[in-house]
Amino acid sequence: MSDETADVVIIGGAAMGSTVAWFLSSRSDFQGRIVVIEPDPTYEHASTALSASCIRHQFSNDINVRMSMFGTTFVQNFRTALGNHPDVPEIALKEIGYLFLAPAETAHILKENYAVQSACSAATELLSPDDISARFPFYNLDGIACGSFNQNGEGWFDGYGMMQALKAAARRNGVSYRTDKVISFQHDRRRIASVGLASGAAIRAEWFVNAAGRHAADIAKAAGVHVPVEPRKRCLFVFSCATELGQPMPLTIDPSGVHCRSDGKWFLAGTVPKDDRAVAYSDFDVVYEEFEDMIWPALAHRVPAFEAIRLERAWAGHYAYNTLDQNAIIGPHPDLENLVFANGFSGHGLQQSPAVGRGISEWIANGRYETLDLSPLGYDRVLSDAPFLEKAII
């Protein structure tokens, strides 16, 4: 079987891969052939499909703030960005906001993060307990010294719908999607020549993008390199409350680590597991003990109305977790110069996928970042074991 040829091969066709494909195929200065390899076009277990689809600007690093701010703008102007094609839907963005709560001993972190966010022109506000009570009287604020809140561009959106619309738009631009799995690479230690697929086919190309989500480490290993990314399970729980709060609840991050938000007439909650470690790719079992032992007690303390709630449903998904610093790895490998990473987003990939797609398309087309410099998230820090830590991970 002779090799197929392309200009760019994107490994992974969920939100990250499809966003890269759309941005690159939409550039007037790039006319190459793009092939996206996706082993499961149903996306049943993809992080995109199982995500809570939230977006926020409240991070500790300015690069993450700016990436997510662009994500908000992109979602708000989605139909226009995609050329107002009649098949492109509006993507709903529910701007209910994020509210971080902190006790006295960690209040300085919120204040430091607020300074970073303000320098990026994010609309974050620092709130005293009295300020919080005035806006959201349903909270019990015992032990809370301050909060940070932003309702301008923060909330949740239809991330799965965005991904499917970008995939369809990329196809209209001529991008080919192929149901297959990358199992090998051919390279000379400087450049990759081709990928081998499970079907027995091979594709030669000039560029290869690892957008494989929780499988990123396997793809990197097949190319002979390392990315510190592993699948970590996160369970999400939907519940109803016997007493109405009287207003939507922003996505609230409690000092306990529990987070919760309104979701229509219900609420959506989750937390970081006590035993937070890598799980099998097939492990999507819901850990109901997290709700009983960790989430409900914390919520009932913080919101007295949550003493009387009923669990309605639950599911589990995987973070593509970067064990080095919980930050994305974006851009080319320093030795395999035509291997480009878009990996390790640790739970905030969906909201940042527009900025990543734009940045990687710039790099492939012109060899540089033209809008937002993503180089602080480059691969070099993996080689030098130099974490670029993101403190605001949920």
Side-chain angles (χ1 to χ4, degrees):
M1 182 182 298
S2 59
D3 287 359
E4 183 180 343
T5 60
D7 293 278
V8 179
V9 170
I10 300 172
I11 304 162
M16 202 61 64
S18 289
T19 307
V20 172
W22 178 78
F23 269 97
L24 186 57
S25 64
S26 298
R27 292 183 67 96
S28 61
D29 58 355
F30 181 84
Q31 304 299 320
R33 180 169 184 257
I34 303 168
V35 177
V36 178
I37 309 297
E38 170 54 52
D40 180 15
T42 72
Y43 302 104
E44 179 183 7
H45 292 135
S47 297
T48 299
L50 299 172
S51 169
S53 294
C54 297
I55 189 163
R56 61 185 165 104
H57 308 158
Q58 294 185 66
F59 288 93
S60 65
N61 287 316
D62 65 347
I63 187 68
N64 284 329
V65 178
R66 296 181 190 280
M67 288 168 72
S68 287
M69 289 180 71
F70 176 72
T72 293
T73 301
F74 188 75
V75 170
Q76 289 172 330
N77 300 280
F78 190 70
R79 293 200 78 240
T80 301
L82 270 65
N84 291 309
H85 191 279
D87 292 339
V88 176
E90 295 284 359
I91 300 298
L93 173 61
K94 304 295 185 181
E95 295 181 67
I96 63 172
Y98 270 67
L99 174 64
F100 284 77
L101 299 174
E105 57 267 28
T106 58
H108 68 283
I109 297 176
L110 284 192
K111 295 175 182 178
E112 291 166 2
N113 294 351
Y114 166 77
V116 172
Q117 295 151 23
S118 296
C120 297
S121 299
T124 309
E125 302 174 72
L126 280 181
L127 303 180
S128 70
D130 287 344
D131 295 331
I132 299 169
S133 289
R135 298 193 190 195
F136 307 106
F138 50 79
Y139 291 115
N140 166 26
L141 295 171
D142 286 352
I144 298 301
C146 74
S148 63
F149 177 65
N150 182 4
Q151 196 174 356
N152 187 353
E154 294 194 344
W156 56 277
F157 67 106
D158 182 5
Y160 186 78
M162 182 185 77
M163 182 270 290
Q164 290 287 15
L166 286 166
K167 178 178 178 179
R171 280 176 155 166
R172 287 193 295 272
N173 287 348
V175 175
S176 298
Y177 278 73
R178 183 164 182 161
T179 302
D180 214 324
K181 183 178 181 180
V182 171
I183 58 173
S184 65
F185 290 79
Q186 297 295 322
H187 63 80
D188 61 4
R189 298 187 179 182
R190 291 298 304 170
R191 291 183 62 82
I192 296 171
S194 65
V195 290
L197 307 181
S199 64
I203 305 179
R204 301 183 66 84
E206 293 298 314
W207 291 94
F208 299 84
V209 180
N210 183 349
R214 62 201 182 99
H215 294 278
D218 291 343
I219 296 301
K221 184 178 180 181
V225 300
H226 168 67
V227 292
V229 175
E230 62 187 29
R232 293 200 180 182
K233 186 162 63 175
R234 293 293 185 268
C235 299
L236 291 171
F237 300 89
V238 178
F239 65 90
S240 56
C241 181
T243 303
E244 292 188 5
L245 299 186
Q247 64 188 106
M249 179 183 184
L251 200 154
T252 304
I253 300 90
D254 189 71
S256 65
V258 170
H259 58 85
C260 183
R261 74 168 198 227
S262 291
D263 198 346
K265 65 179 181 179
W266 293 285
F267 299 87
L268 180 69
T271 193
V272 179
K274 288 182 179 178
D275 185 16
D276 189 18
R277 58 182 175 179
V279 298
Y281 289 128
S282 59
D283 183 358
F284 291 93
D285 295 334
V286 176
V287 184
Y288 286 96
E289 291 82 1
E290 289 181 12
F291 187 78
E292 295 291 338
D293 299 340
M294 300 170 65
I295 294 173
W296 190 5
L299 290 179
H301 171 73
R302 190 60 60 205
V303 181
F306 287 166
E307 286 281 358
I309 61 177
R310 182 176 71 183
L311 184 62
E312 302 289 347
R313 63 182 293 254
W315 74 93
H318 291 171
Y319 275 7
Y321 193 89
N322 179 359
T323 60
L324 176 66
D325 56 17
Q326 296 81 63
N327 253 322
I329 302 167
I330 303 171
H333 190 279
D335 297 323
L336 285 174
E337 56 192 19
N338 63 339
L339 174 62
V340 180
F341 299 99
N343 304 124
F345 291 85
S346 306
H348 46 276
L350 185 54
Q351 63 184 289
Q352 294 186 340
S353 60
V356 178
R358 180 183 64 175
I360 289 179
S361 72
E362 293 167 353
W363 188 272
I364 290 175
N366 290 316
R368 65 184 188 278
Y369 297 121
E370 300 166 326
T371 49
L372 180 61
D373 183 9
L374 303 180
S375 58
L377 299 172
Y379 185 87
D380 284 348
R381 74 186 200 279
V382 177
L383 290 179
S384 58
D385 193 27
F388 181 59
L389 191 65
E390 174 54 55
K391 301 174 186 176
I393 293 296
I394 299 173

